[in-house]
Amino acid sequence: MLRDLRYEHHFLFTQYSLNTFSNCPLKFKKRYLENLKWDSFPDETIKKRVEMGNKFHLLAYRYFRGTEPGMNEDTIEFAELNRWFIELKKAFPLETGTVYLPEYKIRMVTPGLKLEANFDLIIIKDGLVEIWDWKTHHKDAVLRIKSQEIKLRESLQTIVYMFVLREQCKNVLKKSFTCDQIKMCYWQPEKPNLIAEIRYNEEMHETFRIQLTEKIKDVLNYDFNRFDKSLYMKHCKVCEFNWFCNNEKVNFEDIKEDERFLDDLDWDGIEEKY
């Protein structure tokens, strides 16, 4: 039976689901309304990249929680993971009096806005709150993202994360923060780099509120019977449902170069993985 999200009290929109709808409403329908999942990876190269990212997130989680990394020389891809881990510790030395919240999930439900954000790391120090997101894709892909920093600033991930944190900080962090006290940073462990640093402000917050409200409204009011495939063909080559829609296989080489697809496979909360 097809779900109707207007009456689904437990469905919360994430950056991934909103991105999926923007890329293709039919893909959204199959994933979130028909609950069809793609459990296998298209090839070993992509599988390795995603697993490396997941392992790094787990290492970072344990580091900021103050527990043993649980990694030794028998760990698959130990050399690269260990190098990433060393760079993480150099870039983020643990400081007394600083609050670290790794793999932290925040949800919010208000009229017209039902959202969930899964943060790689939140740091609270000196009256400021920082959102950190790890980018563990192939270094060339990351460099392409870095060269287009505006895309990160306008990405749904930035919009959802900064908006949800500001809206819910008093409830979940037990302290109010103004928009000017919040920033979001994207960081990569391969050739360690701060890809982007985005400072928040009140104008951005109200703009994000309008954008998210409209995006969710578009999803809830969309008539899937009027879906026009020709408007979304550019996404088909990296879509798991390409065989269903076009009787064509997924283009693995295009997937390897598509950061949006890799983001969609990226770590989405430690509870789901471990």
Side-chain angles (χ1 to χ4, degrees):
M1 182 177 180
L2 196 67
R3 301 170 69 181
D4 188 334
L5 299 185
R6 290 170 296 181
Y7 306 107
E8 284 273 354
H9 299 295
H10 302 294
F11 186 88
L12 301 174
F13 288 92
T14 65
Q15 67 172 92
Y16 300 106
S17 60
L18 291 173
N19 259 326
T20 298
F21 184 83
S22 296
N23 289 332
C24 178
L26 182 60
K27 183 175 182 176
F28 178 93
K29 177 185 178 184
K30 293 195 170 299
R31 274 196 183 182
Y32 298 102
L33 305 187
E34 298 177 0
N35 202 32
L36 299 178
K37 303 294 183 182
W38 189 23
D39 294 326
S40 60
F41 290 88
D43 73 357
E44 288 302 314
T45 301
I46 295 174
K47 181 179 180 180
K48 176 183 174 182
R49 287 164 65 177
V50 173
E51 288 178 347
M52 281 285 291
N54 289 347
K55 289 177 181 177
F56 175 77
H57 279 76
L58 181 58
L59 287 173
Y61 171 77
R62 289 172 173 169
Y63 172 66
F64 290 110
R65 288 291 301 269
T67 60
E68 290 296 318
M71 179 179 63
N72 55 53
E73 293 185 3
D74 294 329
T75 302
I76 298 176
E77 304 296 337
F78 170 79
E80 187 171 9
L81 279 171
N82 191 51
R83 179 166 52 82
W84 286 6
F85 190 45
I86 291 171
E87 295 297 345
L88 176 77
K89 291 188 289 184
K90 285 166 56 177
F92 300 88
L94 300 179
E95 301 175 348
T96 303
T98 297
V99 177
Y100 301 96
L101 302 173
E103 300 303 330
Y104 202 74
K105 180 178 292 186
I106 298 180
R107 295 166 171 165
M108 64 170 286
V109 177
T110 63
L113 285 169
K114 297 166 61 178
L115 295 163
E116 176 181 294
N118 297 291
F119 301 89
D120 289 347
L121 177 67
I122 297 174
I123 298 178
I124 305 170
K125 63 177 181 179
D126 302 327
L128 301 174
V129 58
E130 302 172 354
I131 302 167
W132 287 88
D133 188 79
W134 318 132
K135 291 300 181 188
T136 56
H137 307 325
H138 189 278
K139 59 185 177 182
D140 292 338
V142 175
L143 289 174
R144 279 198 296 276
I145 295 176
K146 184 181 179 183
S147 68
Q148 304 173 38
E149 187 174 330
I150 293 176
K151 288 187 176 181
L152 279 176
R153 293 179 176 275
E154 297 176 349
S155 72
L156 271 170
Q157 181 173 12
T158 296
I159 292 171
V160 171
Y161 282 26
M162 299 190 87
F163 181 81
V164 170
L165 179 65
R166 172 63 183 87
E167 287 288 299
Q168 294 296 100
C169 60
K170 186 174 182 180
N171 293 331
V172 299
L173 305 181
K174 308 307 178 185
K175 181 178 179 181
S176 293
F177 291 93
T178 65
C179 290
D180 293 336
Q181 293 175 296
I182 299 172
K183 71 176 180 179
M184 182 164 182
C185 302
Y186 291 89
W187 186 84
Q188 63 149 328
E190 178 68 36
K191 291 187 176 180
N193 229 316
L194 178 64
I195 305 170
E197 178 178 297
I198 302 162
R199 301 276 181 171
Y200 211 27
N201 59 54
E202 193 63 37
E203 182 180 357
M204 291 170 66
H205 189 64
E206 292 310 311
T207 298
F208 290 174
R209 184 191 305 278
I210 294 170
Q211 291 175 336
L212 290 170
T213 301
E214 289 301 313
K215 287 181 181 297
I216 291 174
K217 185 186 298 183
D218 288 344
V219 176
L220 297 179
N221 294 332
Y222 188 79
D223 182 359
F224 290 96
N225 292 320
R226 302 182 64 182
F227 172 75
D228 184 353
K229 183 172 69 174
S230 66
L231 300 176
Y232 304 95
M233 291 294 290
K234 65 180 181 180
H235 187 70
C236 290
K237 61 185 179 181
V238 294
C239 176
E240 63 264 40
F241 301 111
N242 195 25
W243 187 267
F244 173 86
C245 296
N246 304 306
N247 200 30
E248 295 178 358
K249 294 182 179 179
V250 174
N251 188 321
F252 296 167
E253 293 305 313
D254 284 330
I255 284 179
K256 294 173 186 177
E257 301 301 322
D258 193 308
E259 294 94 5
R260 293 170 304 173
F261 181 88
L262 293 171
D263 279 339
D264 205 30
L265 288 179
D266 209 354
W267 182 272
D268 191 18
I270 199 165
E271 295 86 353
E272 287 76 20
K273 295 289 183 180
Y274 295 90

Tab-separated table of all heavy atoms in Angstrom, residues 155-205:
chain	number	residue	atom	x	y	z
A	155	SER	N	23.698	23.897	-0.654
A	155	SER	CA	23.246	22.498	-0.641
A	155	SER	C	22.159	22.281	0.402
A	155	SER	O	22.080	22.975	1.417
A	155	SER	CB	24.425	21.562	-0.351
A	155	SER	OG	24.826	21.677	0.996
A	156	LEU	N	21.342	21.262	0.157
A	156	LEU	CA	20.295	20.923	1.120
A	156	LEU	C	20.885	20.450	2.437
A	156	LEU	O	20.279	20.635	3.495
A	156	LEU	CB	19.378	19.858	0.531
A	156	LEU	CG	18.186	20.394	-0.265
A	156	LEU	CD1	17.494	19.269	-1.013
A	156	LEU	CD2	17.202	21.103	0.642
A	157	GLN	N	22.059	19.856	2.398
A	157	GLN	CA	22.688	19.435	3.645
A	157	GLN	C	22.959	20.647	4.530
A	157	GLN	O	22.624	20.651	5.716
A	157	GLN	CB	23.995	18.705	3.371
A	157	GLN	CG	24.662	18.226	4.660
A	157	GLN	CD	25.880	17.360	4.414
A	157	GLN	OE1	26.387	17.281	3.294
A	157	GLN	NE2	26.362	16.720	5.443
A	158	THR	N	23.561	21.680	3.960
A	158	THR	CA	23.832	22.900	4.726
A	158	THR	C	22.540	23.520	5.232
A	158	THR	O	22.427	23.915	6.397
A	158	THR	CB	24.592	23.915	3.853
A	158	THR	OG1	25.870	23.363	3.501
A	158	THR	CG2	24.802	25.226	4.589
A	159	ILE	N	21.545	23.595	4.359
A	159	ILE	CA	20.273	24.222	4.717
A	159	ILE	C	19.598	23.468	5.862
A	159	ILE	O	19.194	24.066	6.871
A	159	ILE	CB	19.357	24.287	3.479
A	159	ILE	CG1	19.936	25.260	2.445
A	159	ILE	CG2	17.941	24.702	3.875
A	159	ILE	CD1	19.218	25.230	1.108
A	160	VAL	N	19.476	22.146	5.714
A	160	VAL	CA	18.790	21.348	6.729
A	160	VAL	C	19.553	21.363	8.045
A	160	VAL	O	18.975	21.579	9.120
A	160	VAL	CB	18.578	19.898	6.243
A	160	VAL	CG1	18.076	19.015	7.379
A	160	VAL	CG2	17.588	19.871	5.079
A	161	TYR	N	20.860	21.148	7.996
A	161	TYR	CA	21.640	21.036	9.228
A	161	TYR	C	21.644	22.335	10.028
A	161	TYR	O	21.417	22.331	11.244
A	161	TYR	CB	23.080	20.627	8.901
A	161	TYR	CG	23.262	19.158	8.589
A	161	TYR	CD1	22.212	18.385	8.082
A	161	TYR	CD2	24.488	18.530	8.779
A	161	TYR	CE1	22.387	17.049	7.781
A	161	TYR	CE2	24.667	17.189	8.485
A	161	TYR	CZ	23.616	16.451	7.987
A	161	TYR	OH	23.792	15.125	7.697
A	162	MET	N	21.919	23.442	9.365
A	162	MET	CA	22.008	24.706	10.087
A	162	MET	C	20.641	25.129	10.609
A	162	MET	O	20.507	25.613	11.739
A	162	MET	CB	22.632	25.790	9.205
A	162	MET	CG	24.045	25.465	8.754
A	162	MET	SD	24.931	26.834	7.959
A	162	MET	CE	25.633	27.652	9.397
A	163	PHE	N	19.621	24.926	9.801
A	163	PHE	CA	18.270	25.322	10.219
A	163	PHE	C	17.789	24.502	11.416
A	163	PHE	O	17.307	25.057	12.413
A	163	PHE	CB	17.287	25.166	9.057
A	163	PHE	CG	15.881	25.585	9.414
A	163	PHE	CD1	15.520	26.914	9.402
A	163	PHE	CD2	14.942	24.635	9.779
A	163	PHE	CE1	14.227	27.303	9.756
A	163	PHE	CE2	13.650	25.012	10.137
A	163	PHE	CZ	13.298	26.353	10.121
A	164	VAL	N	17.935	23.177	11.331
A	164	VAL	CA	17.460	22.307	12.413
A	164	VAL	C	18.224	22.590	13.708
A	164	VAL	O	17.627	22.657	14.791
A	164	VAL	CB	17.590	20.828	12.014
A	164	VAL	CG1	17.344	19.919	13.217
A	164	VAL	CG2	16.604	20.487	10.902
A	165	LEU	N	19.523	22.777	13.611
A	165	LEU	CA	20.308	23.046	14.821
A	165	LEU	C	19.862	24.338	15.485
A	165	LEU	O	19.663	24.391	16.699
A	165	LEU	CB	21.787	23.121	14.482
A	165	LEU	CG	22.702	23.422	15.672
A	165	LEU	CD1	22.664	22.278	16.682
A	165	LEU	CD2	24.122	23.675	15.228
A	166	ARG	N	19.694	25.370	14.687
A	166	ARG	CA	19.265	26.664	15.261
A	166	ARG	C	17.882	26.563	15.886
A	166	ARG	O	17.636	27.095	16.977
A	166	ARG	CB	19.267	27.746	14.174
A	166	ARG	CG	18.659	29.081	14.595
A	166	ARG	CD	19.457	29.726	15.728
A	166	ARG	NE	18.838	30.960	16.163
A	166	ARG	CZ	17.887	31.043	17.088
A	166	ARG	NH1	17.428	29.938	17.665
A	166	ARG	NH2	17.395	32.212	17.433
A	167	GLU	N	16.985	25.859	15.255
A	167	GLU	CA	15.621	25.736	15.758
A	167	GLU	C	15.556	24.924	17.057
A	167	GLU	O	14.748	25.209	17.933
A	167	GLU	CB	14.730	25.065	14.705
A	167	GLU	CG	14.384	25.950	13.530
A	167	GLU	CD	13.397	27.045	13.904
A	167	GLU	OE1	12.273	26.708	14.320
A	167	GLU	OE2	13.750	28.238	13.755
A	168	GLN	N	16.416	23.916	17.171
A	168	GLN	CA	16.298	22.968	18.274
A	168	GLN	C	17.400	23.084	19.310
A	168	GLN	O	17.411	22.309	20.271
A	168	GLN	CB	16.289	21.536	17.717
A	168	GLN	CG	15.064	21.216	16.870
A	168	GLN	CD	13.780	21.256	17.678
A	168	GLN	OE1	13.049	22.241	17.631
A	168	GLN	NE2	13.505	20.220	18.426
A	169	CYS	N	18.319	24.021	19.173
A	169	CYS	CA	19.478	24.049	20.067
A	169	CYS	C	19.083	24.193	21.540
A	169	CYS	O	19.677	23.554	22.410
A	169	CYS	CB	20.462	25.148	19.652
A	169	CYS	SG	19.804	26.817	19.672
A	170	LYS	N	18.077	24.985	21.835
A	170	LYS	CA	17.688	25.153	23.237
A	170	LYS	C	17.131	23.861	23.809
A	170	LYS	O	17.374	23.516	24.972
A	170	LYS	CB	16.665	26.275	23.372
A	170	LYS	CG	16.328	26.599	24.827
A	170	LYS	CD	15.417	27.815	24.934
A	170	LYS	CE	15.140	28.144	26.391
A	170	LYS	NZ	14.259	29.326	26.522
A	171	ASN	N	16.398	23.098	22.986
A	171	ASN	CA	15.791	21.855	23.463
A	171	ASN	C	16.814	20.740	23.645
A	171	ASN	O	16.762	20.001	24.631
A	171	ASN	CB	14.719	21.386	22.478
A	171	ASN	CG	13.527	22.324	22.441
A	171	ASN	OD1	13.217	22.981	23.433
A	171	ASN	ND2	12.857	22.390	21.301
A	172	VAL	N	17.750	20.607	22.691
A	172	VAL	CA	18.647	19.459	22.733
A	172	VAL	C	20.028	19.787	23.298
A	172	VAL	O	20.692	18.916	23.856
A	172	VAL	CB	18.795	18.826	21.328
A	172	VAL	CG1	17.457	18.333	20.835
A	172	VAL	CG2	19.406	19.803	20.339
A	173	LEU	N	20.472	21.029	23.140
A	173	LEU	CA	21.781	21.418	23.667
A	173	LEU	C	21.670	22.158	24.995
A	173	LEU	O	22.673	22.501	25.605
A	173	LEU	CB	22.531	22.299	22.649
A	173	LEU	CG	22.710	21.705	21.251
A	173	LEU	CD1	23.487	22.674	20.370
A	173	LEU	CD2	23.416	20.355	21.315
A	174	LYS	N	20.414	22.412	25.418
A	174	LYS	CA	20.129	23.061	26.702
A	174	LYS	C	20.705	24.474	26.783
A	174	LYS	O	20.994	24.974	27.863
A	174	LYS	CB	20.668	22.219	27.863
A	174	LYS	CG	20.217	20.766	27.845
A	174	LYS	CD	18.706	20.637	27.733
A	174	LYS	CE	18.274	19.174	27.663
A	174	LYS	NZ	16.812	19.033	27.430
A	175	LYS	N	20.845	25.105	25.621
A	175	LYS	CA	21.333	26.467	25.599
A	175	LYS	C	20.924	27.108	24.280
A	175	LYS	O	20.982	26.462	23.231
A	175	LYS	CB	22.862	26.503	25.737
A	175	LYS	CG	23.443	27.903	25.753
A	175	LYS	CD	24.953	27.865	25.942
A	175	LYS	CE	25.527	29.283	25.930
A	175	LYS	NZ	27.011	29.273	26.098
A	176	SER	N	20.521	28.352	24.330
A	176	SER	CA	20.149	29.063	23.117
A	176	SER	C	21.394	29.636	22.443
A	176	SER	O	22.295	30.147	23.104
A	176	SER	CB	19.173	30.203	23.436
A	176	SER	OG	17.944	29.694	23.887
A	177	PHE	N	21.425	29.530	21.134
A	177	PHE	CA	22.486	30.141	20.345
A	177	PHE	C	21.849	31.010	19.275
A	177	PHE	O	20.857	30.623	18.660
A	177	PHE	CB	23.362	29.080	19.679
A	177	PHE	CG	24.213	28.296	20.634
A	177	PHE	CD1	23.753	27.094	21.168
A	177	PHE	CD2	25.462	28.747	21.000
A	177	PHE	CE1	24.533	26.357	22.047
A	177	PHE	CE2	26.258	28.019	21.878
A	177	PHE	CZ	25.793	26.829	22.403
A	178	THR	N	22.395	32.176	19.052
A	178	THR	CA	21.933	33.004	17.947
A	178	THR	C	22.524	32.457	16.655
A	178	THR	O	23.487	31.672	16.671
A	178	THR	CB	22.377	34.466	18.132
A	178	THR	OG1	23.815	34.532	18.076
A	178	THR	CG2	21.889	35.010	19.464
A	179	CYS	N	21.969	32.866	15.541
A	179	CYS	CA	22.491	32.403	14.258
A	179	CYS	C	23.963	32.779	14.098
A	179	CYS	O	24.756	32.001	13.552
A	179	CYS	CB	21.665	33.003	13.119
A	179	CYS	SG	19.979	32.342	13.011
A	180	ASP	N	24.329	33.951	14.584
A	180	ASP	CA	25.716	34.403	14.450
A	180	ASP	C	26.695	33.554	15.245
A	180	ASP	O	27.913	33.653	15.037
A	180	ASP	CB	25.844	35.865	14.889
A	180	ASP	CG	25.104	36.815	13.960
A	180	ASP	OD1	24.902	36.436	12.792
A	180	ASP	OD2	24.736	37.913	14.399
A	181	GLN	N	26.209	32.736	16.148
A	181	GLN	CA	27.074	31.867	16.948
A	181	GLN	C	27.223	30.469	16.341
A	181	GLN	O	27.844	29.603	16.939
A	181	GLN	CB	26.514	31.739	18.367
A	181	GLN	CG	26.553	33.026	19.174
A	181	GLN	CD	25.873	32.867	20.522
A	181	GLN	OE1	24.663	32.630	20.612
A	181	GLN	NE2	26.659	32.986	21.589
A	182	ILE	N	26.662	30.264	15.155
A	182	ILE	CA	26.667	28.952	14.513
A	182	ILE	C	27.445	29.014	13.197
A	182	ILE	O	27.322	29.966	12.439
A	182	ILE	CB	25.221	28.487	14.237
A	182	ILE	CG1	24.436	28.350	15.551
A	182	ILE	CG2	25.207	27.165	13.466
A	182	ILE	CD1	22.957	28.089	15.347
A	183	LYS	N	28.223	27.975	12.939
A	183	LYS	CA	28.867	27.836	11.636
A	183	LYS	C	28.925	26.360	11.262
A	183	LYS	O	28.859	25.483	12.120
A	183	LYS	CB	30.260	28.449	11.621
A	183	LYS	CG	31.308	27.690	12.420
A	183	LYS	CD	32.683	28.346	12.233
A	183	LYS	CE	33.775	27.609	13.021
A	183	LYS	NZ	35.110	28.234	12.827
A	184	MET	N	29.038	26.105	9.965
A	184	MET	CA	29.145	24.736	9.476
A	184	MET	C	30.408	24.597	8.652
A	184	MET	O	30.705	25.455	7.808
A	184	MET	CB	27.925	24.345	8.644
A	184	MET	CG	27.977	22.903	8.149
A	184	MET	SD	26.373	22.291	7.562
A	184	MET	CE	26.813	20.593	7.150
A	185	CYS	N	31.149	23.500	8.875
A	185	CYS	CA	32.421	23.276	8.196
A	185	CYS	C	32.429	21.896	7.547
A	185	CYS	O	31.985	20.914	8.144
A	185	CYS	CB	33.580	23.385	9.175
A	185	CYS	SG	33.682	24.969	10.042
A	186	TYR	N	32.961	21.835	6.329
A	186	TYR	CA	33.158	20.575	5.625
A	186	TYR	C	34.652	20.279	5.598
A	186	TYR	O	35.453	21.139	5.195
A	186	TYR	CB	32.610	20.664	4.201
A	186	TYR	CG	31.105	20.755	4.114
A	186	TYR	CD1	30.445	21.990	4.152
A	186	TYR	CD2	30.330	19.608	3.974
A	186	TYR	CE1	29.060	22.066	4.069
A	186	TYR	CE2	28.942	19.673	3.883
A	186	TYR	CZ	28.323	20.914	3.927
A	186	TYR	OH	26.957	20.989	3.845
A	187	TRP	N	35.022	19.061	6.007
A	187	TRP	CA	36.438	18.703	6.141
A	187	TRP	C	36.689	17.338	5.541
A	187	TRP	O	35.856	16.431	5.650
A	187	TRP	CB	36.818	18.690	7.622
A	187	TRP	CG	38.271	18.479	7.923
A	187	TRP	CD1	39.255	19.426	7.938
A	187	TRP	CD2	38.913	17.246	8.279
A	187	TRP	NE1	40.465	18.870	8.272
A	187	TRP	CE2	40.286	17.523	8.503
A	187	TRP	CE3	38.471	15.931	8.451
A	187	TRP	CZ2	41.211	16.548	8.867
A	187	TRP	CZ3	39.386	14.949	8.809
A	187	TRP	CH2	40.741	15.266	9.015
A	188	GLN	N	37.847	17.166	4.894
A	188	GLN	CA	38.214	15.873	4.331
A	188	GLN	C	39.520	15.389	4.930
A	188	GLN	O	40.440	16.184	5.169
A	188	GLN	CB	38.357	15.970	2.805
A	188	GLN	CG	39.467	16.901	2.336
A	188	GLN	CD	40.080	16.465	1.024
A	188	GLN	OE1	40.146	15.280	0.740
A	188	GLN	NE2	40.533	17.414	0.239
A	189	PRO	N	39.639	14.087	5.198
A	189	PRO	CA	40.873	13.540	5.767
A	189	PRO	C	41.947	13.245	4.721
A	189	PRO	O	43.127	13.186	5.051
A	189	PRO	CB	40.400	12.248	6.437
A	189	PRO	CG	39.227	11.820	5.620
A	189	PRO	CD	38.549	13.089	5.176
A	190	GLU	N	41.539	13.026	3.467
A	190	GLU	CA	42.508	12.772	2.405
A	190	GLU	C	43.100	14.108	1.975
A	190	GLU	O	42.382	14.998	1.543
A	190	GLU	CB	41.835	12.090	1.213
A	190	GLU	CG	42.731	11.819	0.035
A	190	GLU	CD	43.782	10.760	0.328
A	190	GLU	OE1	43.470	9.807	1.067
A	190	GLU	OE2	44.902	10.892	-0.189
A	191	LYS	N	44.416	14.258	2.100
A	191	LYS	CA	45.041	15.570	1.919
A	191	LYS	C	44.261	16.573	2.759
A	191	LYS	O	43.570	17.457	2.233
A	191	LYS	CB	45.057	15.988	0.449
A	191	LYS	CG	45.985	15.167	-0.411
A	191	LYS	CD	46.103	15.715	-1.812
A	191	LYS	CE	47.116	14.909	-2.614
A	191	LYS	NZ	47.251	15.409	-3.998
A	192	PRO	N	44.318	16.448	4.076
A	192	PRO	CA	43.396	17.147	4.985
A	192	PRO	C	43.176	18.606	4.617
A	192	PRO	O	44.118	19.355	4.418
A	192	PRO	CB	44.057	16.988	6.350
A	192	PRO	CG	45.396	16.424	6.099
A	192	PRO	CD	45.388	15.758	4.778
A	193	ASN	N	41.919	18.953	4.556
A	193	ASN	CA	41.544	20.244	4.028
A	193	ASN	C	40.209	20.686	4.609
A	193	ASN	O	39.296	19.871	4.768
A	193	ASN	CB	41.387	20.144	2.506
A	193	ASN	CG	42.123	21.244	1.789
A	193	ASN	OD1	42.064	22.405	2.200
A	193	ASN	ND2	42.823	20.890	0.723
A	194	LEU	N	40.108	21.961	4.910
A	194	LEU	CA	38.818	22.561	5.229
A	194	LEU	C	38.205	22.981	3.908
A	194	LEU	O	38.632	23.947	3.286
A	194	LEU	CB	38.997	23.769	6.152
A	194	LEU	CG	37.723	24.527	6.532
A	194	LEU	CD1	36.791	23.632	7.331
A	194	LEU	CD2	38.072	25.783	7.327
A	195	ILE	N	37.212	22.226	3.460
A	195	ILE	CA	36.637	22.472	2.140
A	195	ILE	C	35.797	23.743	2.130
A	195	ILE	O	35.832	24.521	1.187
A	195	ILE	CB	35.768	21.274	1.694
A	195	ILE	CG1	36.592	19.986	1.739
A	195	ILE	CG2	35.230	21.495	0.291
A	195	ILE	CD1	35.762	18.737	1.544
A	196	ALA	N	35.036	23.942	3.189
A	196	ALA	CA	34.171	25.125	3.253
A	196	ALA	C	33.858	25.459	4.698
A	196	ALA	O	33.714	24.558	5.536
A	196	ALA	CB	32.878	24.883	2.476
A	197	GLU	N	33.752	26.735	5.003
A	197	GLU	CA	33.317	27.209	6.311
A	197	GLU	C	32.193	28.209	6.079
A	197	GLU	O	32.389	29.233	5.420
A	197	GLU	CB	34.476	27.883	7.060
A	197	GLU	CG	34.052	28.431	8.417
A	197	GLU	CD	35.231	29.053	9.176
A	197	GLU	OE1	36.170	28.310	9.490
A	197	GLU	OE2	35.191	30.280	9.410
A	198	ILE	N	31.036	27.897	6.605
A	198	ILE	CA	29.840	28.695	6.332
A	198	ILE	C	29.341	29.322	7.622
A	198	ILE	O	28.958	28.631	8.564
A	198	ILE	CB	28.741	27.811	5.696
A	198	ILE	CG1	29.281	27.168	4.410
A	198	ILE	CG2	27.484	28.619	5.421
A	198	ILE	CD1	28.488	25.979	3.945
A	199	ARG	N	29.356	30.620	7.679
A	199	ARG	CA	28.866	31.359	8.844
A	199	ARG	C	27.372	31.605	8.675
A	199	ARG	O	26.893	31.965	7.601
A	199	ARG	CB	29.597	32.697	8.959
A	199	ARG	CG	31.104	32.557	9.103
A	199	ARG	CD	31.491	32.312	10.523
A	199	ARG	NE	32.943	32.193	10.698
A	199	ARG	CZ	33.545	32.142	11.868
A	199	ARG	NH1	32.839	32.218	12.983
A	199	ARG	NH2	34.862	32.018	11.947
A	200	TYR	N	26.639	31.426	9.757
A	200	TYR	CA	25.191	31.563	9.711
A	200	TYR	C	24.774	32.978	10.083
A	200	TYR	O	25.528	33.716	10.737
A	200	TYR	CB	24.565	30.582	10.695
A	200	TYR	CG	23.195	30.063	10.309
A	200	TYR	CD1	22.790	29.986	8.985
A	200	TYR	CD2	22.305	29.623	11.292
A	200	TYR	CE1	21.548	29.486	8.645
A	200	TYR	CE2	21.056	29.117	10.966
A	200	TYR	CZ	20.681	29.057	9.637
A	200	TYR	OH	19.444	28.567	9.311
A	201	ASN	N	23.569	33.370	9.675
A	201	ASN	CA	23.001	34.636	10.109
A	201	ASN	C	21.482	34.543	10.052
A	201	ASN	O	20.911	33.592	9.497
A	201	ASN	CB	23.524	35.810	9.271
A	201	ASN	CG	23.219	35.667	7.790
A	201	ASN	OD1	22.074	35.485	7.392
A	201	ASN	ND2	24.252	35.730	6.957
A	202	GLU	N	20.823	35.515	10.610
A	202	GLU	CA	19.366	35.481	10.725
A	202	GLU	C	18.679	35.514	9.369
A	202	GLU	O	17.648	34.858	9.154
A	202	GLU	CB	18.886	36.650	11.584
A	202	GLU	CG	17.440	36.551	12.024
A	202	GLU	CD	17.173	35.353	12.917
A	202	GLU	OE1	18.049	35.014	13.739
A	202	GLU	OE2	16.080	34.754	12.795
A	203	GLU	N	19.249	36.248	8.436
A	203	GLU	CA	18.657	36.316	7.095
A	203	GLU	C	18.684	34.946	6.418
A	203	GLU	O	17.697	34.525	5.801
A	203	GLU	CB	19.410	37.336	6.245
A	203	GLU	CG	18.835	37.499	4.848
A	203	GLU	CD	19.587	38.509	4.017
A	203	GLU	OE1	20.527	39.142	4.539
A	203	GLU	OE2	19.244	38.669	2.829
A	204	MET	N	19.811	34.245	6.539
A	204	MET	CA	19.897	32.890	5.989
A	204	MET	C	18.866	31.984	6.637
A	204	MET	O	18.216	31.175	5.954
A	204	MET	CB	21.307	32.327	6.218
A	204	MET	CG	22.399	32.991	5.421
A	204	MET	SD	24.054	32.457	5.968
A	204	MET	CE	24.049	30.719	5.524
A	205	HIS	N	18.701	32.112	7.945
A	205	HIS	CA	17.785	31.239	8.671
A	205	HIS	C	16.348	31.394	8.166
A	205	HIS	O	15.645	30.397	7.943
A	205	HIS	CB	17.848	31.544	10.164
A	205	HIS	CG	17.118	30.563	11.014
A	205	HIS	ND1	17.471	29.232	11.105
A	205	HIS	CD2	16.019	30.708	11.825
A	205	HIS	CE1	16.640	28.600	11.921
A	205	HIS	NE2	15.759	29.471	12.367
